[in-house]
């Protein structure tokens, strides 16, 4: 079993697999140097990135994340305001702070980008190597960033989701989860709560308090995104749109043309604009798809008169356990299975969670989650310029609206005439991801990323001719 707190992690943008994961991997490598008593002997560290991390690392902030991780920073607590100054010191003055001392680090020679090479087990591979003053290797470790901020060493690949903790309601798939709910007369959130108490060896109040902290971090992110104007970094000249869209929606309300349907879209865009700007976000289950669950939850809190703090927590417990089903039976990595594994999974989690808090049975929750993934199957990942902006930001908004509709629709039926189960779509999503061309899996080598690049060429030629 994994915990819902492995799914929902407070970190920073723009990508859980390409920013959060690499920072954690780099930090773990230097922490191990310290633990093994080798840190003082290190004269050089080389960080290498492969495959998708190398190809889209510039736009995803991967290389900066690695530099900060080598200085021991972690995504959940790195002070965002200090980042530009620290990167400037490392990149311009070549000074890296390693476990309390300053050593030379030359990014041109020590941060290597292998876009044309893949490590064997996953498209998001990294290798860190430490050398002493004579150039002798002190330590070397391969890591894979496998989506949602999860990082695994080469040796542990495939075993990363196993914990020894016993839970009262163990399940491997949605069928078993539903059977446990039925036989124990529990809702999905009640069952998840009991498992989380066992996993964390803590009380209900402690689990709920942690869940409430996640909900608050999501709310804070929406608030920051709704209040921030300007252009997003990366060179695509993408403007933040959430604040202006919100202002326009409010104006429409004054003229009595109320369209509450568009609000979740704006809330999701606010989160994803924060993410694209490298702000503090919660993986849900990834950074690229971080807007959907907060948007649906915020919409529920704002517009549903029956919403309570207890139900807000139930929402996240339910969403989290649906995320666990995908994580343990398929993948939540765009580099592994395309965007269906990020936005598709987040939509499924949000739809199921929404169904539960508006009164759905476990079967109806399962039905909502299934429908939400069924109609995202095959969704590719083709981020323009390797940035988590186009199509990611709008796509989160659309998925948030879809989740609300499907969550509500699930309650109109009892699910008894269903032909497709959640387990079936999870299996299909994984197989579709396996069949998907590698160029459509977070490489920016296909789809919209290529079309926009090609379109840009004649425009620049025309400008030169003028
Ligand atoms: S297209 Fe989807 S999977 Fe790819 S970076 Fe954007 S949100 Fe993530």
């Amino acid at each position: 079993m994994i915990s819902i707190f492995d799914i929902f992690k407070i970190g920073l943008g723009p990508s859980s697999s390409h920013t959060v994961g690499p920072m954690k991997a780099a930090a773990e490598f230097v922490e191990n140097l310290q633990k093994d008593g080798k840190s003082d002997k290190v004269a050089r560290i080389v960080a290498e990135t492969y495959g998708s991390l190398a190809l889209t690392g510039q736009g995803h902030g991967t290389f900066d994340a690695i530099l900060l991780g080598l200085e021991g920073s972690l995504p959940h607590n790195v002070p965002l305001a200090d980042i530009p100054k620290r990167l400037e010191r490392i990149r311009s003055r070549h000074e890296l702070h390693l476990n309390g001392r300053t050593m030379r680090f030359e990014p041109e020679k020590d941060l290597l980008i292998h876009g044309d090479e893949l490590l064997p087990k996953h498209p998001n591979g990294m290798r860190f190597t430490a050398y002493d003053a004579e150039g002798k290797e002190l330590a070397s470790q391969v890591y894979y960033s496998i989506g949602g901020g999860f990082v695994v060493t080469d040796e542990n690949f495939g075993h990363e989701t196993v914990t020894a903790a016993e839970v009262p309601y163990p399940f491997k798939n949605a069928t078993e989860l539903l059977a446990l709910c039925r036989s124990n007369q529990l809702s999905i959130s009640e069952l998840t709560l009991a498992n989380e108490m066992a996993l964390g060896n803590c009380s209900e109040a402690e689990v709920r308090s942690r869940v409430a902290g996640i909900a608050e971090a999501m709310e804070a992110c929406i608030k920051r995104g709704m209040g921030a104007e300007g252009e997003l970094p990366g060179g695509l000249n993408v403007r933040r749109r959430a604040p202006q869209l919100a202002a326009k929606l409010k104006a429409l309300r004054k003229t009595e043309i109320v369209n509450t349907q568009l609000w979740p879209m704006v809330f999701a865009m606010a989160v994803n604009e924060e993410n694209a700007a490298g702000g503090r976000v919660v993986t849900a289950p990834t950074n690229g798809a971080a807007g959907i669950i907060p948007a649906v939850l915020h919409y529920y809190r704002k517009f549903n008169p029956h919403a309570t703090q207890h139900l807000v927590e139930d929402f996240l417990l339910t969403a989290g356990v649906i995320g666990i089903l995908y994580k343990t039976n398929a993948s939540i990595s765009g580099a592994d299975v395309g965007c269906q594994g990020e936005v598709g999974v987040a939509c499924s989690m949000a739809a199921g969670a929404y169904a539960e808090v508006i009164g759905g049975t476990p079967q109806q929750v399962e039905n909502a989650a299934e429908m939400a993934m069924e109609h995202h199957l095959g969704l590719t990942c083709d981020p323009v310029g390797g940035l988590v902006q186009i199509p990611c930001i709008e796509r989160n908004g659309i998925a948030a609206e879809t989740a609300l509709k499907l969550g509500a629709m699930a309650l109109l039926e009892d699910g008894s005439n269903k032909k497709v189960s959640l387990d079936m779509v999870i299996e299909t999503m994984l197989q579709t991801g396996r069949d998907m061309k590698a160029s459509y899996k977070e490489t920016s080598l296909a789809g919209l990323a290529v079309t926009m690049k090609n379109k840009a060429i004649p425009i620049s030629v025309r400008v030169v001719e003028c």
Side-chain angles (χ1 to χ4, degrees), residues 164-188:
E166 296 273 323
V167 293
Y169 305 111
F171 57 87
K172 286 200 229 44
N173 52 39
T175 308
E176 291 182 12
L177 173 65
L178 286 185
L180 284 168
C181 287
R182 216 169 15 250
S183 58
N184 294 284
Q185 306 262 303
L186 292 171
S187 68
I188 288 182

Side-chain angles (χ1 to χ4, degrees), residues 60 272 286-289 333-335 338-340 342-343 379-383 387-393 395-396 442:
H60 281 116
N272 284 83
T286 65
N287 276 30
S333 164
C339 197
Q340 52 171 359
E342 296 206 13
V343 165
L379 190 66
T380 59
C381 167
D382 52 357
L387 298 162
V388 194
Q389 297 178 13
I390 305 172
C392 321
I393 296 171
R395 185 171 287 177
N396 271 256
E442 213 158 356

Side-chain angles (χ1 to χ4, degrees), residues 205-217:
E206 284 168 309
V207 174
R208 286 197 173 276
S209 158
R210 279 189 79 187
V211 175
I214 296 291
E216 290 215 345

Side-chain angles (χ1 to χ4, degrees), residues 13 50 86 115 135 180 211 234 251 305 308 319 345 372 383 407 420 445:
Y50 295 84
R86 288 176 59 196
L180 284 168
V211 175
T308 62
V345 171
V420 183
L445 293 175

Side-chain angles (χ1 to χ4, degrees), residues 202-346:
C202 57
S203 66
E204 173 175 346
E206 284 168 309
V207 174
R208 286 197 173 276
S209 158
R210 279 189 79 187
V211 175
I214 296 291
E216 290 215 345
M218 289 177 171
E219 281 287 303
C221 189
I222 291 181
K223 199 168 167 207
R224 281 195 307 276
M226 296 291 272
E229 306 261 2
E231 215 168 75
L232 295 171
L236 276 183
N237 306 327
V238 172
R239 207 173 28 83
R240 287 183 184 251
R241 292 153 69 200
Q244 286 182 22
L245 289 172
K248 283 180 185 163
L249 279 181
K250 278 183 194 150
L252 285 177
R253 192 169 56 195
K254 282 191 195 130
T255 56
E256 312 250 327
I257 310 166
V258 180
N259 194 341
T260 51
Q261 271 182 357
L262 283 177
W263 278 107
M265 180 131 189
V266 177
F267 300 149
M269 288 173 70
V271 172
N272 284 83
E273 286 170 359
E274 269 300 283
N275 179 57
R280 186 77 72 210
V281 294
V282 179
T283 59
T286 65
N287 276 30
I292 298 156
I293 288 167
V296 172
L297 184 57
H298 188 67
Y299 179 89
Y300 166 68
R301 288 173 115 160
K302 202 170 160 68
F303 294 109
N304 191 317
H306 306 296
T308 62
Q309 178 59 26
H310 196 88
L311 285 169
V312 164
E313 291 153 16
D314 288 352
F315 179 102
L316 288 176
L317 287 162
T318 308
V321 82
I322 296 168
I324 289 171
L325 290 172
Y326 283 98
K327 171 73 187 128
T328 52
N329 291 292
S331 174
I332 56 170
S333 164
D336 193 19
V337 293
C339 197
Q340 52 171 359
E342 296 206 13
V343 165
V345 171

